[in-house]
Amino acid sequence: SMLISIMKYQPIPAAFFQENRDELASKLPAGSLLIIHSNDVYPTNADGTMALHQNANLFYLCGIDQEETVLVMAIGANGSHQDTLFLRETNDQIAIWEGARLKREQGSELSGIRDVRWTTEYDALIEQLVPAASTVYLEENQHPRCTSPVQTRNVRLASELKSKFPEAEYANIYPILGDMRLIKKPVEIEYIKMACDITGEGFKSLLKALKPGMGEWEIEAILSYEYLRRGARKFSFLPIIASGDNSCVLHYIVNDQICRDGDLVLLDIGAEYGNYNGDMTRTVPVNGRFTPRQKAVYNAVHNAMKYAMQILRPGIDKKEYERLVRVFVGNELVTLGLLTPEDLAEKPEDPPAVRRYFMHGVSHSLGLDVHDVGDPQPVLQANMVFTIEPGIYIREEGIGIRLETDVLIGEESNTDLLAQVPLDADEIEKWMAE
């Protein structure tokens, strides 16, 4: 195929996107219309821009990773649908300065959509379809943790559409796609596994290089090198390289301190592969040996992770799962001398005292987004992919330990997608000694 030679990774087969459109169409009423846009290329300063980070819902439905792309789906009876893909028209000027954009045949080959047009034809089609539609579905981010002062392209163009066609009935496609995206299809699992493999391999290389006196930024550089050369486009998120006291800061991203002998360094890192993400945390001793206290806290977190792995199974309610893990961590905190049995007795079914040392959730869905979309507290089902990431943070001791792995929930048993990465405290020490 003409596309594969120009890509860093195999594109996902078009059949996947076709299947997603078919599934979505089956959930929408006949006579409705879906319009979904790519994300903007955001400006920085002067003539600078950020790299395009594609709208994940658009990508999920058509596989196009290019700015100014639009997908329009006209839904017919019994789940039938007519899809039109709009692409930014390429020309010699664009090709010389920015590189060639997709040709219409390439857009078709990537997405499985036969009707591919240039964006210049978009307005004419919209004027024909919107007035006739029973409901117009648009895309607006409703992630519970989204705080965006900046308008996305979808939001901006939605408000233009609403002022142009005030009579139309509008709805948000976001929750419907979110629930679809919670259940991973086989090809998605393959891509997440690739992202996890790259994430883990980079970490293994790092373990052999890590030593006292190294800057947190040097660790970031080693990981960046190991990830990019393996086909990742970037880190899945800004990497957290938190040594010493910084390990107690949950989203520490400045990565500008020296890693000192005797300290721990917490690495919350991930590589992105073909739009899918790995998300892994390991906490390791800078000098290659845990102190007895560090190891005791480490093993407490590791125990909590193993417990979580056993109960994160189909049928359990995520809220209940999180509560059970907090109760488990509470008992570990008593063993570590951080809490007393009286502290836990205050509300034994979910002791508030635990949050002094473990203040975040245990698990989140993972996929096209790192904190993936869909009901944040679902009943768990097979083929969901969730992180498991307990932590204990003792600010007064300068010890923060988090461990995180990515898990494919299966009917019979779970699959740890980072199983090949050192996790056991003794195994970490052995790797670092080599």
Side-chain angles (χ1 to χ4, degrees):
S1 139
M2 64 179 133
L3 287 162
I4 290 176
S5 62
I6 57 168
M7 293 209 167
K8 197 165 175 176
Y9 49 84
Q10 291 284 96
I12 293 172
F16 166 72
F17 304 109
Q18 183 65 54
E19 189 188 331
N20 293 342
R21 292 193 299 275
D22 290 345
E23 189 182 330
L24 179 61
S26 75
K27 296 175 187 290
L28 299 180
S32 61
L33 185 67
L34 167 70
I35 305 169
I36 183 165
H37 296 268
S38 62
N39 278 343
D40 281 318
V41 173
Y42 289 101
T44 54
N45 293 298
D47 63 350
T49 62
M50 292 181 148
L52 173 72
H53 188 120
Q54 187 56 294
N55 180 290
N57 282 327
L58 176 83
F59 181 83
Y60 186 73
L61 294 174
C62 68
I64 303 293
D65 232 331
Q66 186 170 286
E67 73 285 354
E68 292 173 43
T69 302
V70 199
L71 171 66
V72 176
M73 290 175 65
I75 311 299
N78 310 318
S80 64
H81 52 104
Q82 275 188 311
D83 307 335
T84 305
L85 181 68
F86 290 95
L87 298 175
R88 173 188 176 190
E89 186 169 4
T90 189
N91 60 39
D92 289 348
Q93 191 70 0
I94 290 171
I96 290 166
W97 285 89
E98 301 175 38
R101 290 300 182 260
L102 292 169
K103 297 184 169 70
R104 282 162 55 176
E105 312 79 73
Q106 290 175 313
S108 213
E109 193 182 334
L110 277 173
S111 65
I113 295 171
R114 282 196 292 276
D115 181 8
V116 183
R117 312 181 193 183
W118 299 129
T119 46
T120 45
E121 293 182 55
Y122 170 74
D123 288 339
L125 185 70
I126 288 305
E127 281 177 25
Q128 182 194 326
L129 294 180
V130 171
S134 54
T135 306
V136 180
Y137 287 92
L138 305 172
E139 198 259 15
E140 184 173 350
N141 189 349
Q142 286 180 326
H143 195 286
R145 289 167 66 178
C146 168
T147 51
S148 174
V150 178
Q151 262 197 339
T152 63
R153 186 180 191 85
N154 276 293
V155 169
R156 193 174 73 247
L157 296 177
S159 59
E160 281 177 27
L161 200 66
K162 287 171 184 175
S163 64
K164 202 169 175 183
F165 303 100
E167 304 304 301
E169 190 69 47
Y170 294 97
N172 191 358
I173 200 69
Y174 190 90
I176 300 173
L177 281 173
D179 287 342
M180 280 174 62
R181 281 172 52 190
L182 263 177
I183 306 287
K184 302 302 187 277
K185 302 202 165 79
V187 73
E188 295 185 276
I189 292 164
E190 221 175 283
Y191 273 65
I192 295 169
K193 182 80 182 89
M194 279 296 303
C196 286
D197 287 346
I198 295 170
T199 300
E201 289 308 306
F203 170 73
K204 286 183 190 171
S205 301
L206 170 67
L207 278 185
K208 302 190 167 182
L210 182 59
K211 55 183 187 298
M214 197 175 248
E216 291 167 348
W217 64 91
E218 289 179 78
I219 293 174
E220 183 174 340
I222 290 168
L223 290 169
S224 189
Y225 167 73
E226 295 293 347
Y227 290 171
L228 293 180
R229 78 188 187 92
R230 286 183 166 85
R233 278 187 299 193
K234 57 182 193 299
F235 284 103
S236 321
F237 51 91
L238 294 174
I240 297 169
I241 317 285
S243 66
D245 292 343
N246 305 328
S247 65
C248 294
V249 180
L250 301 182
H251 287 164
Y252 170 87
I253 53 172
V254 286
N255 306 345
D256 65 356
Q257 298 298 302
I258 295 284
C259 300
R260 304 197 187 282
D261 199 342
D263 280 350
L264 294 168
V265 57
L266 183 155
L267 310 156
D268 191 340
I269 52 182
E272 179 258 27
Y273 181 82
N275 283 305
Y276 286 86
N277 298 291
D279 184 4
M280 178 184 91
T281 307
R282 293 291 186 269
T283 307
V284 302
V286 172
N287 63 14
R289 307 285 304 173
F290 290 100
T291 66
R293 177 62 168 172
Q294 288 169 347
K295 191 172 273 191
V297 180
Y298 189 98
N299 288 337
V301 176
H302 193 184
N303 290 342
M305 184 188 240
K306 288 188 253 196
Y307 172 70
M309 179 74 91
Q310 285 166 2
I311 66 167
L312 187 76
R313 302 289 299 126
I316 195 170
D317 185 279
K318 182 160 170 289
K319 265 199 181 81
E320 175 62 4
Y321 154 82
E322 297 251 353
R323 181 189 75 78
L324 289 168
V325 177
R326 282 195 297 274
V327 169
F328 185 97
V329 171
N331 292 319
E332 293 288 340
L333 292 169
V334 171
T335 307
L336 291 168
L338 294 165
L339 294 181
T340 64
E342 294 76 60
D343 289 328
L344 299 187
E346 195 190 320
K347 188 184 166 200
E349 73 280 7
D350 195 355
V354 171
R355 294 189 185 273
R356 259 181 262 164
Y357 298 99
F358 176 36
M359 57 293 285
H360 57 77
V362 191
S363 294
H364 60 79
S365 183
L366 177 74
L368 285 170
D369 289 301
V370 176
H371 294 155
D372 213 16
V373 298
D375 178 355
Q377 303 291 1
V379 172
L380 294 166
Q381 294 175 48
N383 296 319
M384 290 182 173
V385 174
F386 271 85
T387 63
I388 295 180
E389 48 179 318
I392 293 174
Y393 310 89
I394 317 169
R395 278 181 297 243
E396 59 275 20
E397 298 179 36
I399 294 178
I401 293 176
R402 179 164 66 250
L403 296 172
E404 176 183 22
T405 194
D406 304 330
V407 176
L408 168 64
I409 298 171
E411 294 288 359
E412 301 309 317
S413 63
N414 289 343
T415 306
D416 183 347
L417 300 175
L418 289 157
Q420 78 290 6
V421 186
L423 174 62
D424 190 76
D426 297 336
E427 201 188 345
I428 296 274
E429 290 188 337
K430 209 172 85 205
W431 268 80
M432 293 186 76
E434 276 168 27

